[in-house]
Amino acid sequence: MLLGIDTGGTYTDAVLFNEEEGVLRTAKSLTTKHNLSLGICDAVNTILDEEGDHIRMVSLSTTLATNAIVEAHGSPVCLILIGYDEGALQRSNLGEAVGKNPCLFIQGGHSPMGDEQAPLDIKAVEEAVKKYAPSVSSFAIAGYFSVRNASHEEAVRDIIFKETNLPVSCAHELSSSLDAPRRALTALLNAQLIPQLQQLVLAVETMLEEKAIKAPLMVVKGDGSLITAKTALARPVETILSGPAASVVGAHYLSGEENVFVVDMGGTTTDIAVLKDGEPQLSKEGAIVGGWRTMVEAVDVHTFGLGGDSEIALNIPSKSLTIGPRRVQPVSLLAMQYPEILSVMEQQLLNDRVWPNDGRFALKLRELDAGISSLSRLEQEIWGGLQAGPVALNKILERPAMARPLQRLIDRGLVIVSGLTPSDASHLLGLQGSWNKKGADLSSQLFIRHAEKEGVFSNLTPNTLAEMIYEKTVTGSATTILETALSEINYTPLGENQKLGQDLINNALRDKSNKDGHSVIDIAINLGRPIVATGAPANTYYKDVATRLNASLNLPEHAEVSNAVGAVAGGVVQKLSVLISSPEKGRYRAHIGKDQIDFTDSEVAIEYVLTYAEKTVKALAQECGATDITVKVDRHDNVITDAGGDKLFIESRIFATAKGRPVLAA
């Protein structure tokens, strides 16, 4: 028996899986971000009716890392850049990612050949660590050309470990590729995600202990393979797109389809991947999440900020609705959990004055990821007021000075807003019935009052508003698939005349069954591959989506827990890349971590690295929980012929890949 768990922004799923019989039992529970173990235990309790001594492996996938990046909910981090110039912040959007986090430029770094370009300023590092450690949750370190010599990064890491108990993210451990600013960006994102993954793994480990489950705990990486929880805690950035990757693996298993678009619609995002010959395509340039291009090899997923819990808002200048990309908690869900908010909204409807935030609430999302001193005085005041439950936004924002502190708490992922969402609209239309329909109705009435006051809409009812939201969600979902399909052939449909292109797409994706949807021009789109739709909201929207794209739709059994299925259907894969350069003619240098080993014969150097790479990647796979390991080693030489006809060695790169299946408990 294998136990698969997927923790998403809205739901936590659990699957009991047997390799011979497949999926045996499934369960869904609401994700409880303030205490993740509650939602996890609830889901697992549903499928386990006894102690779990028969469970041989537990595997976990999650969208929490992806969601945190998309919603900019990272924990506070201190970034230390060694040997970088300040212009690095202007490249790869590094400065934007750093935001208000402390960022220090320290003397040091190395040359492209791995030689020290300047001595490391140890005193400056020690002063920075003492100054910033009390107000951050972790440190990120990136050294110039650390992929050629990691000694300065490792020295700074050792100082931080000596002075603090905080986790550290080193850039050279996350990628062996050049591009210093993007490597620093990846280290920064990794550090921001460590506290959140720690909370998740601790929650699962607590549940395993309570259930007497002694099986190994694995985590799904962004490429769909598995690593041990210990490895994931050190490199949580590798779990970005973990949920979508698990969904692709699960969709392939559940549907049996080989060449399809796999669409995973969750509460926060819609993730679309292309399955070719049964294999998910990997992003060669590094995964893009939330607009950031990382150096993490992951499934080539197109992520859009559109989900069942996307925020519905008014675009007053264009007199229209917008959906997403920010996630809010559906009011129907909040009303189910806290029925007292119904009377608050009823009172708001009785008020003569209409406020923009009527029908919206603030709610504590999770525990602090750093000390209380990391909050300003006003932030502490808001934080304290939310400990007992949700508070109407109008009440918090009575004092204008509270707006920015509240936004900072939201940006850190500590607080979430509750407001109108597609899920609320689905409750009003009878397409969903899990939560509190009255909450959705009251929120819609308040939303309409505000829209009419601003002159955006008139004569709307909650039902007609819900139909507008449903229609916009369907067309938005169809557009995301269309954009993904067109990107596969490197085609941009909008070109110079963006309005015309968008009008043509809107014409093709409109609801043609509606008598008001007729047009003098009737454009149709025919998607060339089937759609496999997974995720909790997929059954609500994707029948209409497939119809408008003239595509066949596969909604496999257990599609709503596809991520949890994928979590137990993957294997362990580890990769290693080692460079051999030539600083001068007749000298060949192997760059191995902080060690630079010189040889006088290129073939001797290559044979040494081949042996090292094979041994090391196998050990990495074992460390990540693999058995029955096979290793493949490839060699790519860059040798040119000079003007005199002599061969000139430029460099050689050794790629080693180890594959195995997870070790199961006895």
Side-chain angles (χ1 to χ4, degrees):
M1 292 290 185
L2 310 178
L3 176 62
I5 300 170
D6 174 68
T7 299
T10 305
Y11 283 107
T12 293
D13 303 333
V15 166
L16 197 60
F17 186 89
N18 180 288
E19 290 182 342
E20 293 181 359
E21 301 173 70
V23 178
L24 301 178
R25 300 177 198 166
T26 69
K28 295 184 82 68
S29 177
L30 287 170
T31 296
T32 48
K33 287 192 176 179
H34 65 286
N35 185 347
L36 290 168
S37 62
L38 296 177
I40 292 168
C41 286
D42 191 32
V44 172
N45 285 340
T46 304
I47 60 173
L48 286 185
D49 49 14
E50 55 189 32
E51 286 195 342
D53 55 0
H54 58 300
I55 302 295
R56 300 184 64 197
M57 183 186 78
V58 179
S59 189
L60 173 68
S61 76
T62 179
T63 59
L64 294 183
T66 306
N67 295 348
I69 294 174
V70 169
E71 299 180 272
H73 287 173
S75 298
V77 168
C78 178
L79 174 62
I80 297 177
L81 299 175
I82 309 167
Y84 283 66
D85 62 81
E86 295 195 14
L89 293 177
Q90 308 307 315
R91 300 189 288 274
S92 299
N93 294 324
L94 178 58
E96 186 180 345
V98 170
K100 295 183 179 179
N101 288 298
C103 178
L104 305 169
F105 293 86
I106 301 292
Q107 177 184 288
H110 294 84
S111 72
M113 291 296 117
D115 298 314
E116 188 176 77
Q117 69 176 8
L120 178 64
D121 189 343
I122 292 176
K123 183 178 179 182
V125 174
E126 291 173 339
E127 290 175 352
V129 171
K130 289 178 181 176
K131 179 178 180 180
Y132 293 109
S135 59
V136 300
S137 60
S138 58
F139 283 85
I141 310 167
Y144 203 63
F145 278 107
S146 62
V147 293
R148 301 292 168 83
N149 188 331
S151 59
H152 284 184
E153 279 191 13
E154 294 186 3
V156 174
R157 179 193 62 194
D158 292 344
I159 291 171
I160 296 171
F161 281 161
K162 180 181 177 182
E163 298 292 334
T164 78
N165 293 319
L166 295 176
V168 178
S169 172
C170 289
H172 79 275
E173 296 177 336
L174 300 170
S175 174
S176 61
S177 300
L178 297 177
D179 192 336
R182 195 146 63 93
R183 202 167 56 252
L185 170 67
T186 305
L188 173 68
L189 294 175
N190 189 69
Q192 290 179 323
L193 297 173
I194 288 173
Q196 300 191 39
L197 196 67
Q198 283 178 332
Q199 289 181 23
L200 177 59
V201 170
L202 178 62
V204 175
E205 289 177 339
T206 300
M207 179 275 297
L208 296 181
E209 188 175 339
E210 290 176 355
K211 292 285 182 185
I213 299 174
K214 296 181 172 59
L217 175 60
M218 309 294 286
V219 179
V220 180
K221 286 172 55 182
D223 62 2
S225 64
L226 304 178
I227 51 178
T228 61
K230 180 181 178 181
T231 305
L233 286 173
R235 301 197 295 272
V237 76
E238 292 190 3
T239 71
I240 62 173
L241 301 177
S242 162
S247 178
V248 173
V249 174
H252 179 231
Y253 176 86
L254 293 171
S255 70
E257 298 275 9
E258 296 287 316
N259 295 284
V260 292
F261 290 99
V262 176
V263 182
D264 179 15
M265 187 177 191
T268 309
T269 61
T270 294
D271 303 306
I272 305 173
V274 178
L275 201 62
K276 293 182 180 177
D277 299 324
E279 293 288 333
Q281 303 302 294
L282 299 183
S283 174
K284 297 176 183 178
E285 299 299 321
I288 299 177
V289 183
W292 311 115
R293 182 175 284 282
T294 69
M295 298 188 96
V296 178
E297 185 177 70
V299 172
D300 190 6
V301 171
H302 298 255
T303 299
F304 302 89
L306 175 63
D309 301 347
S310 292
E311 180 179 32
I312 305 297
L314 288 177
N315 185 325
I316 295 173
S318 66
K319 297 186 182 300
S320 62
L321 291 175
T322 62
I323 301 184
R326 188 170 74 165
R327 173 183 177 262
V328 296
Q329 180 150 327
V331 179
S332 52
L333 171 58
L334 189 70
M336 182 187 77
Q337 297 171 321
Y338 300 93
E340 60 269 23
I341 72 164
L342 296 174
S343 60
V344 175
M345 289 191 286
E346 288 170 341
Q347 182 58 50
Q348 289 175 345
L349 280 170
L350 294 175
N351 293 340
D352 293 332
R353 189 163 183 179
V354 178
W355 295 94
N357 287 308
D358 282 345
R360 291 161 61 81
F361 299 83
L363 178 71
K364 173 184 167 184
L365 190 57
R366 59 186 177 90
E367 297 300 330
L368 273 176
D369 47 20
I372 192 69
S373 62
S374 67
L375 300 182
S376 69
R377 179 181 60 80
L378 292 180
E379 288 169 354
Q380 290 183 31
E381 185 177 332
I382 295 171
W383 184 249
L386 294 175
Q387 299 307 304
V391 177
L393 274 187
N394 287 342
K395 184 175 180 180
I396 296 175
L397 299 177
E398 282 176 344
R399 293 155 57 193
M402 289 300 201
R404 287 188 178 180
L406 175 62
Q407 189 58 51
R408 287 195 294 268
L409 291 172
I410 292 170
D411 290 342
R412 276 182 63 174
L414 297 172
V415 171
I416 189 171
V417 169
S418 176
L420 194 63
T421 67
S423 295
D424 294 309
S426 295
H427 277 77
L428 291 174
L429 295 174
L431 301 173
Q432 287 180 249
S434 311
W435 305 330
N436 189 307
K437 183 178 178 180
K438 185 177 180 182
D441 182 70
L442 290 170
S443 179
S444 297
Q445 290 183 55
L446 290 164
F447 187 92
I448 290 168
R449 285 213 321 167
H450 178 222
E452 290 179 342
K453 179 194 173 189
E454 297 293 344
V456 177
F457 301 118
S458 60
N459 300 318
L460 279 185
T461 66
N463 236 49
T464 54
L465 174 62
E467 288 170 355
M468 289 173 62
I469 294 170
Y470 175 83
E471 175 64 19
K472 200 163 185 69
T473 305
V474 168
T475 55
S477 299
T479 302
T480 61
I481 297 177
L482 181 59
E483 287 184 18
T484 302
L486 292 171
S487 73
E488 287 292 299
I489 56 174
N490 297 315
Y491 178 67
T492 303
L494 302 182
E496 294 181 4
N497 195 335
Q498 293 194 12
K499 185 178 186 307
L500 175 61
Q502 191 61 59
D503 286 346
L504 295 175
I505 290 172
N506 291 343
N507 180 293
L509 299 180
R510 74 188 193 282
D511 181 5
K512 295 174 184 175
S513 67
N514 187 333
K515 64 181 180 180
D516 298 323
H518 295 302
S519 171
V520 291
I521 299 176
D522 196 3
I523 296 171
I525 291 172
N526 293 282
L527 203 63
R529 291 184 178 180
I531 299 170
V532 176
T534 65
N539 193 49
T540 302
Y541 303 105
Y542 271 84
K543 291 174 184 176
D544 263 356
V545 170
T547 298
R548 299 186 195 190
L549 291 170
N550 291 298
S552 62
L553 176 66
N554 188 327
L555 275 169
E557 186 182 8
H558 308 305
E560 72 283 359
V561 292
S562 176
N563 294 30
V565 174
V568 291
V572 177
V573 179
Q574 284 294 296
K575 299 179 180 180
L576 179 70
S577 172
V578 181
L579 177 73
I580 302 168
S581 65
S582 181
E584 59 187 17
K585 191 172 182 179
R587 187 153 62 105
Y588 309 95
R589 175 171 292 174
H591 299 270
I592 301 174
K594 65 180 180 180
D595 298 322
Q596 319 302 305
I597 307 173
D598 287 346
F599 299 83
T600 56
D601 185 304
S602 62
E603 287 303 314
V604 173
I606 288 170
E607 282 302 316
Y608 177 89
V609 172
L610 286 170
T611 301
Y612 165 84
E614 181 175 5
K615 179 181 177 181
T616 303
V617 80
K618 184 175 182 179
L620 284 173
Q622 289 172 331
E623 185 182 317
C624 289
T627 187
D628 296 338
I629 300 169
T630 59
V631 177
K632 180 183 178 183
V633 182
D634 293 318
R635 162 183 170 178
H636 297 275
D637 296 339
N638 183 5
V639 179
I640 64 172
T641 303
D642 64 18
D646 294 329
K647 291 190 178 298
L648 185 64
F649 180 95
I650 303 300
E651 67 178 30
S652 180
R653 192 170 285 277
I654 308 301
F655 297 95
T657 303
K659 295 183 178 181
R661 61 180 181 83
V663 174
L664 303 181

